Amino acid sequence: MFSGLHAAIEGTRAALASIRAHAMRSALTTLGIVIGVAAVITVVAVMEGLSSSIDAQLDDLGSDMVTLRATTSQEQAMLGFSNKLSYDDFLVLKAKVKDVEDMSASMQAFSFGSTVSYGRETIQTQVIGTDSGYQKVIKVFPQQGRFIRSTDDDRRRRVVFIGESARKKLKLPDNPIGEFISLSGEWFRIIGVAEERGSLFGFDQDNYIIAPFSTMASLAGARVTENIDILFRPAAGADLDNVQTQIRQILRKRHHLSGDDKDDFEFITAKKTKESFAKVTTSVTLVAGGVVGISLLVGGIGVMNIMLVSVTERTREIGINKALGATPNFIMLQFLVEALVLSLFGGIIGLLLGWGLAVFISMLMPSMPGALVPGWAIALSFGFTTAIGVIFGLMPAVKAAKLNPIDALRYE
Amino acid sequence: MTYDDQVIKLSNISKRYEMGGEQFYALRDINLHITRNDYVAIIGPSGSGKSTLMNILGCLDIPSSGEYLLDDQPVASMDEAELAKIRNQSVGFIFQSFNLLPRATVLANVMQPLVYRMLPTSERQNMAKQALQRVGLADKLGHFPNQLSGGQRQRVAIARALVTKPAILLGDEPTGNLDSKTTQDIMKLFDELHREGHTIVLVTHEQEIADHCQRVIRLVDGKVAKDSRNDAAQRERLHV
């Protein structure tokens, strides 16, 4: 055991000397591993940064918020049907479902149009019609003015609560309360501006305009029966499954669905959203992992190739060392350590490079959260490069160890 | 001279090679004893088995049959790892082409055999410096082999052979690559080392090298053809 350690130390010395002697060649040899490790670290760092920020933002939104939304199956869509949730559905649910803290109806005013103007500025934005409950469910707070109240809804007042980006894009004054903006030719007075939420995946989360639900519904009028989203938050300690069951029973009955029919609505929970994001990040990481695996394999073959060349080149040196008393095991260990040092070198450079690259990428994209290099990725990279060094160094090392000293001494 | 003073004992050593299905003897039934502090030349025409004998004496190769005791250790049946240990402890090689490590300094070259002995670096350095002092190269420690003359390189190689304090110094045409003046210098060094008590075996085809030795063994066709002792008075004249 001690002689193994001794050989490892001497082997490391010899390996470092040999790497120094062939600096350029060693650098090129490790390039494959550098690229492989840099790629894995970059991808993992960016993905980790992304998913941790997604988690944080979803938690911010309220991980217990549930969105109820109509779904239309492909067969139905091909027949020209599109399922809807109506305002009456909402009213019934609000009255009947127990264990629900807040429930709010919200309408995306696509048919009404999303062109908004102020003065000479005209922008496209997301126009939402909703009730006062929306504020509690979504947790949106005014930085100026106030949110929509139930009296606005009851009286179909033409008022709007706007996001910070919408205010900037419309070139509204810093305090826009009382200003009028035009929504498809109808005038609305601004009653509040929301706190800034920032962006998620490059999507601006502050570019929206909220109007009272009833005002929007009446303006959409007879043109179409609007499809609404129903947002709710289960009461503290309530069982979400139980709440969903209640809603499912009511809606299935109201939509005249029989036993075999599928639900024409779905529940979207923050947990579900998180899971689907996690699925995306996992599959991206897996694909990247595959690519990286291949590049590390190529890098490993590069190391093996150079080590084989090195063994041939140093045949005479090996012969001399054997004549001087180097055992086959010592020679093998020395070459193995050299391969290991080469690939670990590549691993360290790759790690630093990947880290730098990830930080650079997250700086380039303003909406990108900070890069995060998790410990397991570092451990994995080093584990992998170590394995590559050993696996691909073994063959050349065995070749060196098996050289016949007489032939090796005669080698020109 | 006691029986135990025999550092090399070869009994019925044969070395066979297969060539094209035919057996070919490089060495045939060699019986040879060499006593401690002897100074032996092994001569013979090329193909006589000189190199094969030298490889076996140096434990680089093992015989096909026979017994070989080097410093009372049975070498003939050892495996490669054991042979490596014996080479490190009991044999000091001096090659015709010096065989120094080109990328290592003079000091590092001489320290190299001690690497395999698990000695602390400081001790290796001290031993190597002493050996280099002995061959007159104490001022060249940091030089690289390509910065030295042929004679100096061979002195480094001799220092490297001496540093392990081996039972035998084994020279394979040690002056083969040197001019006559340098050859004389190197042979003088061998003569001195012999007087200091080293056992020296030189394989050569040059008569004037053999003339320096006490004992000359002539090989022909893998057999000992002649085993003679040089006249002491004649050797004295060479040592001027």
Side-chain angles (χ1 to χ4, degrees), chain A residues 173-211:
Chain A
D174 285 347
N175 181 358
I177 311 294
E179 298 288 333
F180 281 86
I181 59 171
S182 159
L183 257 173
S184 297
E186 304 283 344
W187 291 100
F188 285 77
R189 186 165 56 86
I190 295 169
I191 53 164
V193 181
E195 275 179 355
E196 213 166 342
R197 270 194 292 187
S199 57
L200 182 60
F201 308 129
F203 287 115
D204 188 351
Q205 293 193 96
D206 297 300
N207 188 12
Y208 59 88
I209 284 174
I210 296 172

Side-chain angles (χ1 to χ4, degrees), chain A residues 241-286:
Chain A
D241 283 343
N242 177 29
V243 173
Q244 289 187 357
T245 309
Q246 289 181 56
I247 292 173
R248 188 171 284 125
Q249 278 169 355
I250 296 166
L251 283 183
R252 284 185 72 88
K253 202 170 167 194
R254 282 184 56 81
H255 293 185
H256 309 293
L257 298 176
S258 61
D260 294 339
D261 295 332
K262 278 186 193 154
D263 288 348
D264 59 356
F265 51 87
E266 63 175 349
F267 297 94
I268 300 163
T269 58
K271 197 177 148 216
K272 229 167 138 183
T273 316
K274 251 189 197 174
E275 278 167 6
S276 61
F277 278 131
K279 248 187 211 162
V280 171
T281 52
T282 307
S283 54
V284 169
T285 307
L286 279 180

Side-chain angles (χ1 to χ4, degrees), chain A residues 50 85 157 267 296 301 323 338:
Chain A
L50 207 59
L85 285 175
R157 278 187 188 136
F267 297 94
L296 282 180
I301 292 170
E338 193 168 325

Side-chain angles (χ1 to χ4, degrees), chain B residues 149-162:
Chain B
S149 69
Q152 287 172 326
R153 287 187 209 183
Q154 196 58 302
R155 282 171 188 274
V156 176
I158 292 170
R160 183 179 64 185
L162 286 172

Side-chain angles (χ1 to χ4, degrees), chain A residues 158-176:
Chain A
R158 298 196 172 187
V159 291
V160 284
F161 180 81
I162 67 174
E164 177 64 18
S165 312
R167 182 191 70 74
K168 279 185 190 148
K169 283 186 178 170
L170 282 169
K171 302 216 167 105
L172 281 156
D174 285 347
N175 181 358

Side-chain angles (χ1 to χ4, degrees), chain A residues 107-114 125-127 216 226:
Chain A
M107 174 172 76
Q108 298 262 2
F110 293 117
S111 57
F112 183 68
S114 49
T125 185
Q126 187 187 15
V127 180
M216 294 295 291
E226 286 295 341

Side-chain angles (χ1 to χ4, degrees), chain A residues 87-351:
Chain A
Y87 194 64
D88 286 342
D89 286 336
F90 165 68
L91 291 176
V92 170
L93 290 176
K94 196 168 183 178
K96 287 195 177 167
V97 178
K98 288 172 204 128
D99 294 334
V100 168
E101 211 160 73
D102 303 292
M103 189 176 269
S104 159
S106 110
M107 174 172 76
Q108 298 262 2
F110 293 117
S111 57
F112 183 68
S114 49
T115 308
V116 182
S117 51
Y118 172 75
R120 286 186 192 157
E121 300 300 324
T122 299
I123 62 162
Q124 296 289 322
T125 185
Q126 187 187 15
V127 180
I128 303 160
T130 189
D131 54 24
S132 57
Y134 189 82
Q135 180 179 19
K136 275 191 192 161
V137 184
I138 278 277
K139 288 183 179 164
V140 57
F141 302 105
Q143 53 161 315
Q144 294 181 58
R146 59 169 181 85
F147 196 72
I148 310 252
R149 284 181 192 150
S150 48
T151 50
D152 300 326
D153 211 9
D154 294 345
R155 298 181 186 170
R156 294 183 186 171
R157 278 187 188 136
R158 298 196 172 187
V159 291
V160 284
F161 180 81
I162 67 174
E164 177 64 18
S165 312
R167 182 191 70 74
K168 279 185 190 148
K169 283 186 178 170
L170 282 169
K171 302 216 167 105
L172 281 156
D174 285 347
N175 181 358
I177 311 294
E179 298 288 333
F180 281 86
I181 59 171
S182 159
L183 257 173
S184 297
E186 304 283 344
W187 291 100
F188 285 77
R189 186 165 56 86
I190 295 169
I191 53 164
V193 181
E195 275 179 355
E196 213 166 342
R197 270 194 292 187
S199 57
L200 182 60
F201 308 129
F203 287 115
D204 188 351
Q205 293 193 96
D206 297 300
N207 188 12
Y208 59 88
I209 284 174
I210 296 172
F213 184 88
S214 55
T215 316
M216 294 295 291
S218 72
L219 284 172
R223 265 178 278 179
V224 73
T225 339
E226 286 295 341
N227 180 25
I228 64 165
D229 289 344
I230 296 168
L231 311 172
F232 67 90
R233 204 179 277 279
D239 180 20
L240 181 60
D241 283 343
N242 177 29
V243 173
Q244 289 187 357
T245 309
Q246 289 181 56
I247 292 173
R248 188 171 284 125
Q249 278 169 355
I250 296 166
L251 283 183
R252 284 185 72 88
K253 202 170 167 194
R254 282 184 56 81
H255 293 185
H256 309 293
L257 298 176
S258 61
D260 294 339
D261 295 332
K262 278 186 193 154
D263 288 348
D264 59 356
F265 51 87
E266 63 175 349
F267 297 94
I268 300 163
T269 58
K271 197 177 148 216
K272 229 167 138 183
T273 316
K274 251 189 197 174
E275 278 167 6
S276 61
F277 278 131
K279 248 187 211 162
V280 171
T281 52
T282 307
S283 54
V284 169
T285 307
L286 279 180
V287 169
V291 173
V292 163
I294 291 168
S295 84
L296 282 180
L297 189 74
V298 173
I301 292 170
V303 169
M304 178 160 70
N305 185 22
I306 283 301
M307 290 308 297
L308 283 171
V309 169
S310 178
V311 168
T312 307
E313 230 180 38
R314 283 150 66 189
T315 297
R316 202 185 173 98
E317 181 187 320
I318 294 164
I320 295 168
N321 283 331
K322 286 194 158 189
L324 297 180
T327 59
N329 281 341
F330 191 100
I331 298 279
M332 188 173 89
L333 212 64
Q334 180 184 331
F335 277 85
L336 210 53
V337 166
E338 193 168 325
L340 202 61
V341 168
L342 267 181
S343 51
L344 277 179
F345 233 58
I348 291 169
I349 295 171
L351 174 67

